[in-house]
Amino acid sequence: MKNLFTENIKISLNSIKGQLLRTILTALIIAIGIWALVGILTSIDVMKSSISTNFTSMGANTFTIRNRGLNVQVGKKGKHPKPFRAISFDEAENFVKDFNFPAIASVSTMASGTGTLKYESQQSNPNIQVIGGDENYLATSGYEMGSGRNFSAQDNTDANHVVMIGSELISVLFKSNENPIDKVISIGPGKYKIIGVLKSKGTGMGFGGDKICIIPLNNARQYFPDPNMSYRINVLGKNAQQMNAAINEATGVFRIVRKIPLSEEDNFDIVKSDNLANMLIDNIKKVTYGATAIGFITLLGAAIGLMNIMLVSVTERTREIGIRKAIGATGKVIRNQFLMEAIVICQLGGLFGILLGIITGNLISLQFGIGFIVPWEWIFFGIGLCLLVGLLSGIIPAIKASKLDPIEALRFE
């Protein structure tokens, strides 16, 4: 049995050499289909990993109280979250004062989403997030200090003109590789002294984690006034096991702060640090389905092309089939020979497509700052899919070849 299997593979390879151009073209079609499938699905895995890394960097024990829920949707479907009235500064401060739970709480606000930073002749694009935060903001938002220092409580109380900036802004403002600490920059009309540079958090998925500057909360209130300004409260618990208890306690305290009657629902939203990641990943499933459909359609075209080649091959090798049957080959042997030939062509194309898919996926992973990925799941899926395509494409030509009458086959011109 083993010798017969090996012999069928040898015959298949010799036949492939005899019609090399057609085989290469068919294998390329199969390779493109597998490339599309493995490449796109590997890229999606990279995106999922990047999302998880970016949005869970604050830790599994962090949540945020805000005046509206999350809204992530792909396409036109999806419900918009209900916005509630703004969270005032007094409400946020009262919550921090009354929240007697073993956790760190901070208050922050978006002072501007279109800030422009200037240093001497250098200027950033007007797309910098200016965050007003207190001395606990870094601990509760997932940022770490790269150099310099964090705000002190006094900086916030006195509304000092000091700032911490994201690492990406260093290359924008300081072209001469100067030490940015203690340099004075302009943020809008105000002057601020840089006291700290944040560690790189990455800019995966375009959320600009390193294009940010943080100023003291009271400074933001004074110099970026907005009558509709709403504040956010970040809470960092000691561990993930206390998460539900902390959220329940925070809900109760903030309902009292907002003076919500017992008969009414919450007029604020509590968002866990990994909620947005889960929502994005859930929406990416739709992209996965589309990518899979594209790959299958391409493979369907390849299967039709391969079946056509195998049918032509049966016609061209009719006399060869007659000779094999005349010297003792059974219909089963002939059928297996042609079936093996179709499978070999599919596997050759599939392996090339898998290689291209891995390369493409990992080129994208480099852009997201993620290490080399070997998508074993999609590799085995691709190999199995190529085997199925080979079987489906080769079965009809193989059956046709096995049923040829040896006498008529030998007479074929």
Side-chain angles (χ1 to χ4, degrees):
M1 188 69 180
K2 182 179 179 181
N3 291 336
L4 185 60
F5 180 78
T6 306
E7 186 64 24
N8 278 336
I9 291 180
K10 288 181 179 179
I11 293 172
S12 299
L13 292 174
N14 288 332
S15 176
I16 287 171
K17 290 178 183 177
Q19 45 185 351
L20 193 60
L21 181 58
R22 284 186 302 185
T23 302
I24 289 174
L25 291 175
T26 306
L28 278 176
I29 297 174
I30 294 168
I32 291 170
I34 295 295
W35 180 14
L37 199 61
V38 175
I40 295 174
L41 294 177
T42 302
S43 302
I44 288 172
D45 282 347
V46 168
M47 292 168 66
K48 288 179 180 178
S49 177
S50 177
I51 290 169
S52 297
T53 300
N54 276 275
F55 287 98
T56 60
S57 60
M58 291 186 292
N61 52 334
T62 305
F63 62 90
T64 301
I65 302 174
R66 37 189 278 167
N67 70 320
R68 63 173 60 236
L70 294 174
N71 177 35
V72 179
Q73 63 183 69
V74 175
K76 297 181 179 180
K77 295 183 179 180
K79 295 181 179 179
H80 292 280
K82 181 181 178 181
F84 303 106
R85 68 176 174 84
I87 297 174
S88 69
F89 176 74
D90 288 338
E91 287 175 337
E93 286 292 293
N94 288 334
F95 172 85
V96 173
K97 182 178 66 175
D98 297 340
F99 185 58
N100 297 317
F101 195 87
I104 299 173
S106 73
V107 179
S108 62
T109 189
M110 175 72 75
S112 174
T114 57
T116 302
L117 274 61
K118 298 179 183 178
Y119 175 70
E120 296 181 348
S121 62
Q122 303 301 324
Q123 178 175 314
S124 72
N125 291 326
N127 61 350
I128 308 302
Q129 293 183 4
V130 182
I131 304 293
D134 58 21
E135 64 274 16
N136 291 326
Y137 180 74
L138 290 190
T140 61
S141 61
Y143 285 98
E144 295 181 42
M145 187 62 64
S147 61
R149 66 174 180 87
N150 188 12
F151 297 144
S152 65
Q154 197 66 39
D155 286 327
N156 189 41
T157 301
D158 296 343
N160 289 338
H161 283 256
V162 293
V163 63
M164 296 181 289
I165 64 174
S167 59
E168 191 170 331
L169 297 176
I170 301 300
S171 58
V172 174
L173 300 177
F174 301 96
K175 302 291 186 180
S176 303
N177 297 321
E178 302 170 69
N179 182 1
I181 303 300
D182 292 332
K183 296 294 191 296
V184 176
I185 63 173
S186 298
I187 303 176
K191 301 287 186 181
Y192 291 81
K193 183 170 76 171
I194 298 174
I195 62 170
V197 177
L198 307 176
K199 279 186 180 179
S200 177
K201 194 177 183 182
T203 55
M205 300 302 297
F207 286 94
D210 294 331
K211 289 183 177 180
I212 188 173
C213 65
I214 306 168
I215 61 177
L217 181 61
N218 284 327
N219 185 283
R221 294 177 62 214
Q222 290 183 27
Y223 296 96
F224 293 86
D226 183 349
N228 298 317
M229 183 175 284
S230 184
Y231 294 82
R232 296 164 52 125
I233 304 165
N234 291 341
V235 178
L236 172 65
K238 285 187 176 181
N239 53 60
Q241 287 71 33
Q242 295 182 345
M243 190 68 164
N244 290 334
I247 290 175
N248 290 335
E249 177 71 14
T251 302
V253 171
F254 204 56
R255 283 182 63 89
I256 294 172
V257 169
R258 299 266 276 188
K259 299 178 181 178
I260 304 173
L262 290 174
S263 58
E264 294 184 12
E265 296 182 351
D266 297 341
N267 60 7
F268 57 90
D269 198 58
I270 294 183
V271 182
K272 293 171 64 175
S273 60
D274 58 351
N275 278 11
L276 184 53
N278 293 334
M279 292 177 70
L280 282 168
I281 289 171
D282 186 62
N283 277 285
I284 283 178
K285 288 179 182 178
K286 299 175 184 177
V287 182
T288 305
Y289 298 148
T292 305
I294 291 170
F296 273 117
I297 291 170
T298 308
L299 284 172
L300 178 62
I304 294 170
L306 178 58
M307 185 182 295
N308 182 57
I309 281 182
M310 295 305 298
L311 287 170
V312 172
S313 179
V314 170
T315 302
E316 290 180 343
R317 295 159 62 188
T318 300
R319 285 180 61 85
E320 176 191 330
I321 295 168
I323 293 171
R324 288 182 182 278
K325 284 197 169 186
I327 60 178
T330 63
K332 182 179 179 181
V333 171
I334 298 296
R335 184 194 66 201
N336 290 344
Q337 175 193 325
F338 278 85
L339 204 54
M340 182 61 70
E341 188 174 321
I343 291 172
V344 168
I345 293 173
C346 273
Q347 291 299 335
L348 289 174
L351 290 174
F352 184 55
I354 288 170
L355 179 62
L356 290 175
I358 292 173
I359 293 172
T360 302
N362 281 282
L363 285 175
I364 293 174
S365 75
L366 291 176
Q367 302 302 314
F368 285 89
I370 297 174
F372 189 82
I373 292 177
V374 180
W376 293 109
E377 179 183 354
W378 302 124
I379 288 174
F380 290 125
F381 178 69
I383 292 173
L385 198 59
C386 286
L387 177 62
L388 180 63
V389 169
L391 288 171
L392 294 176
S393 302
I395 191 67
I396 293 177
I399 291 174
K400 179 182 178 182
S402 68
K403 290 183 176 180
L404 285 176
D405 182 85
I407 303 301
E408 294 300 324
L410 287 168
R411 289 176 178 172
F412 185 80
E413 294 294 335

